[in-house]
């Protein structure tokens, strides 16, 4: 990050001294099952999928609710940190407002930036055993869209058409932030401010990285995904005024401008990504309750791929039952769902090198210029495949995926009309192929994996050397971890493909020409 950008950096939830009209605190409805698993991928339309991302840092705006870029300096940041330190802590505020005695405590983890306060995280306050209830947060301290909009019908209407739940929740907290200390949620928002985008690995979502920082991800498909996601967030921003006019009963309480006049796109984007880090997905509930902000939940809880503990809604509260024993003082972890590392980085700012759910995508497509394209399309559909077929290469399952791809690849290589007739009349997904055609299929796959590996600027050994350094930039470190995991999967795919080639009966054959071979992406 260059000096100019660093000077402009300010956290989303950093309060100013401006105070506004007090908003009445409303009780939240009873929730049913909630978990940090099954988080959906974000897209502009909430009918489509969305996932939740990392804690973040935000550019200051000219709004009276955010510290001006001109006023930001290390000295100012230190004063703000001191103010945060002097305030009542989150857990004390929660106990005052209904949190019953629990078995957790907030502890500090040192910040990589010495100007900032340590990061808070939830730890066991006493020895715990698997099955113990660590805490139980009453619904009065949980935020859902039903609570925000005050009307379940309006909530469902909004999120079914124009806006995602994340956009509405982000807008709500942005207006609450303008209330300053008069907001009921002030201590919770202040805690998010304290995080300053420093998730469990001290990294914010790539959605907030600079263009030069995104170059750390060169070679990975995640770069294109980040750009696409950012465009989706902008579409959400352009629809923000809809929620204002449709939910006037809520937002008339705020004596401020309509959303797009009160907040710039950059402020909204940063708020949106910040909210992603905190939301847990509720199961078996109405649309208006399916996403919730739970104090003592993420980002204070640490996500882990190999953990099965989840936040669960029970009568009038959201509780956490631990899945393993803890000694007093140990950080408590929860499951992040079956997410690949690319999603973990975008959504939470970390990579789990032991993630058994990690995967890469290989897209294969039948050539539309092929004279036999329509026949091949029918054969593919008969066997449950599409003309553009996505194959998920799961870590540890590379060989199974390659074997699964071969029938589709072989179909694309069929060129003789008589052979095509035989394929159409046959049952099952297997096409009869000659040794030279099989060689050609495997050779195309091997070339594809080699080219993907060559697209990365570093090798696996260079990644290991870089990660061994102590003073590497946190963003570069987590990006390198992601690239390393991707390259290991691709290398294993290449190894499997070469092994299959070596099993062919006659390697002296030349691969058969295929004018309309499948297209791999």
């Amino acid at each position: 990050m260059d000096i100019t950008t660093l000077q402009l950096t300010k956290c989303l939830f950093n309060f100013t001294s401006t105070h506004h009209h007090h908003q009445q605190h409303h009780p939240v409805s009873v929730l049913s099952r909630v978990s940090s698993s099954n988080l959906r991928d974000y897209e502009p339309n909430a009918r489509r999928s969305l996932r939740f991302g990392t804690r973040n840092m935000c550019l200051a705006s000219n709004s009276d609710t955010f510290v001006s870029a001109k006023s930001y300096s290390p000295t100012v940041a230190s004063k703000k940190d001191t103010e945060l330190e002097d305030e009542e802590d989150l857990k004390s505020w929660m106990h005052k407002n209904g949190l019953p005695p629990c078995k957790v405590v907030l502890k500090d983890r040192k910040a990589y930036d010495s100007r900032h306060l340590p990061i808070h995280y939830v730890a066991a306050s006493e020895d715990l055993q698997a099955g113990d209830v660590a805490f139980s947060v009453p619904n009065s301290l949980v935020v859902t869209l039903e609570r925000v909009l005050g009307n379940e019908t309006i909530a469902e209407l909004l999120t079914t058409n124009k806006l995602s739940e994340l956009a509405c929740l982000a807008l709500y907290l942005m207006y609450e932030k303008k209330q300053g200390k008069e907001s009921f949620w002030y201590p919770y928002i202040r805690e998010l401010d304290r995080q300053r985008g420093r998730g469990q690995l001290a990294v914010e979502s790539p959605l907030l990285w600079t263009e030069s920082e995104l170059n750390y991800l060169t070679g990975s498909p995640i770069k294109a995904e980040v750009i696409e996601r950012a465009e989706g967030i902008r579409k959400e921003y352009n629809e923000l005024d809809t929620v204002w006019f449709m939910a006037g009963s809520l937002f008339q309480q705020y004596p401020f401008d309509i959303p797009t006049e009160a907040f710039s796109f950059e402020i909204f984007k940063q708020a949106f990504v910040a909210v992603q880090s905190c939301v847990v997905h509720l199961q078996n509930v109405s649309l208006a309750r399916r996403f919730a902000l739970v104090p003592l939940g993420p980002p204070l809880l640490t996500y882990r791929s190999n953990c099965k503990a989840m936040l669960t809604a029970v009568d009038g509260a959201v509780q956490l039952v631990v899945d393993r024993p803890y000694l007093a003082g140990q950080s408590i972890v929860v499951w992040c769902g079956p997410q690949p590392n690319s999603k973990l980085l975008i959504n939470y700012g970390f990579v789990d090198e032991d993630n058994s759910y990690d995967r890469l995508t290989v897209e294969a497509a039948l050539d539309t210029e092929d004279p036999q394209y329509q026949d091949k399309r029918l054969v593919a559909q008969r066997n449950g495949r599409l003309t553009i077929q996505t194959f998920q290469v799961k870590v540890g399952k590379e060989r199974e995926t390659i074997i699964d791809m071969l029938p589709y690849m072989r179909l694309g290589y069929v060129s003789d009309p008589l052979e095509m007739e035989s394929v159409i009349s046959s049952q099952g997904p297997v096409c009869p192929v000659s040794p030279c055609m099989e060689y050609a299929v495997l050779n195309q796959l091997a070339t594809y994996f080699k080219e993907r590996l060559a697209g990365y600027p570093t090798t696996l050994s260079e990644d290991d050397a870089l990660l061994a350094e102590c003073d590497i930039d946190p963003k570069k470190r987590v990006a390198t971890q992601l690239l390393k995991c991707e390259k290991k999967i691709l290398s294993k795919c290449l190894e499997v493909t070469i092994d299959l080639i070596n099993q062919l009966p006659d390697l002296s054959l030349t691969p058969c020409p295929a004018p309309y071979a499948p297209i791999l992406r």
Side-chain angles (χ1 to χ4, degrees), residues 128-391:
L128 300 177
Q129 299 300 318
D132 285 350
V133 177
F135 60 76
S136 184
V137 179
N139 286 343
S140 59
L141 294 173
V142 176
V143 184
T144 64
L145 202 60
E146 181 181 51
R147 179 200 199 97
V148 169
L149 298 177
N151 183 300
E152 184 171 332
T153 301
I154 290 179
E156 293 189 6
L157 181 61
L158 281 171
T159 58
T160 302
N161 291 279
K162 296 291 186 181
L163 292 169
S164 71
E165 293 88 341
L166 289 187
C168 295
L169 291 172
L171 184 59
Y172 177 68
L173 287 189
M174 289 164 74
Y175 277 113
E176 280 295 307
K177 174 179 162 44
K178 279 180 171 280
Q179 302 277 36
K181 292 185 178 181
E182 293 191 21
S183 168
F184 174 78
W185 299 108
Y186 171 77
Y188 179 40
I189 297 175
R190 191 189 69 244
E191 183 62 41
L192 301 180
D193 176 35
R194 182 189 178 107
Q195 297 296 113
R196 293 187 183 276
R198 306 165 300 174
Q200 56 197 49
L201 290 183
V203 179
E204 65 266 28
S205 167
L207 289 166
L208 299 175
W209 292 9
T210 65
E211 185 175 348
S212 61
E213 289 166 343
L214 282 178
N215 287 334
Y216 295 151
L217 298 168
T218 297
S220 172
I222 193 178
K223 279 188 71 174
E225 186 175 345
V226 168
I227 294 171
E228 183 180 358
R229 285 260 209 123
E231 291 172 351
I233 296 174
R234 182 173 286 279
K235 290 179 182 178
E236 292 263 33
Y237 175 74
N238 293 336
E239 297 290 345
L240 275 185
D241 292 348
T242 303
V243 69
W244 177 278
F245 294 118
M246 291 185 68
S249 61
L250 168 72
F251 292 109
Q252 68 183 4
Q253 301 177 67
Y254 299 107
F256 312 117
D257 293 333
I258 61 175
T260 54
E261 294 180 7
F263 309 106
S264 69
F265 168 67
E266 283 303 316
I267 292 298
F268 172 71
K269 178 182 176 181
Q270 293 144 7
F272 185 98
V273 178
V275 168
Q276 288 185 122
S277 68
C278 314
V279 180
V280 291
H281 187 219
L282 315 184
Q283 298 179 355
N284 303 317
V285 295
S286 66
L287 293 177
R289 302 183 198 174
R290 61 183 172 180
F291 297 109
L293 299 172
V294 184
L296 292 186
L300 298 175
L301 289 173
T302 300
Y303 281 134
R304 189 74 58 78
S305 296
N306 63 0
C307 178
K308 295 301 179 184
M310 300 183 296
L311 288 170
T312 306
V314 294
D315 296 335
V318 177
Q319 71 177 19
L320 176 65
V321 177
V322 297
D323 70 333
R324 63 192 68 191
Y326 289 92
L327 297 177
Q330 285 188 317
S331 174
I332 293 180
V333 298
V334 293
W335 190 39
C336 54
Q339 302 181 58
N341 280 324
S342 58
K343 301 300 182 187
L344 295 182
L345 179 55
I346 289 180
N347 300 330
Y348 309 109
F350 79 99
V351 169
D352 185 349
E353 294 191 56
D354 296 321
N355 185 2
S356 61
Y357 301 100
D358 202 15
R359 62 181 182 270
L360 282 180
T361 297
V362 175
E363 184 181 278
L366 298 176
D367 192 335
T368 57
E369 300 298 322
D370 189 340
Q372 301 184 89
Y373 171 77
Q374 292 299 334
D375 288 338
K376 292 181 179 180
R377 179 178 65 85
L378 292 174
V379 172
Q381 289 178 344
R382 188 177 67 191
N383 290 283
R385 300 298 188 189
L386 304 172
T387 53
I388 301 177
Q389 180 63 45
T390 297
F391 295 91

Side-chain angles (χ1 to χ4, degrees), residues 16 70 91 134 171 186 248 270 323 354 358 416 418 438 466 473:
T16 66
K70 293 180 180 179
K91 191 163 174 285
L171 184 59
Y186 171 77
Q270 293 144 7
D323 70 333
D354 296 321
D358 202 15
D416 186 282
L418 292 177
E438 186 77 347
L466 186 63
D473 174 80

Side-chain angles (χ1 to χ4, degrees), residues 4 52 55 77 83 92 97 156 168 179 181 187 200 212 225 235 260 292 309 344 397 405 439 441 460 496:
T4 302
F52 309 110
R55 276 65 68 189
E83 291 172 7
S92 297
N97 288 279
E156 293 189 6
C168 295
Q179 302 277 36
K181 292 185 178 181
Q200 56 197 49
S212 61
E225 186 175 345
K235 290 179 182 178
T260 54
L344 295 182
K397 302 289 184 180
M405 291 179 64
Y439 195 175
V441 169
L460 279 170
V496 168

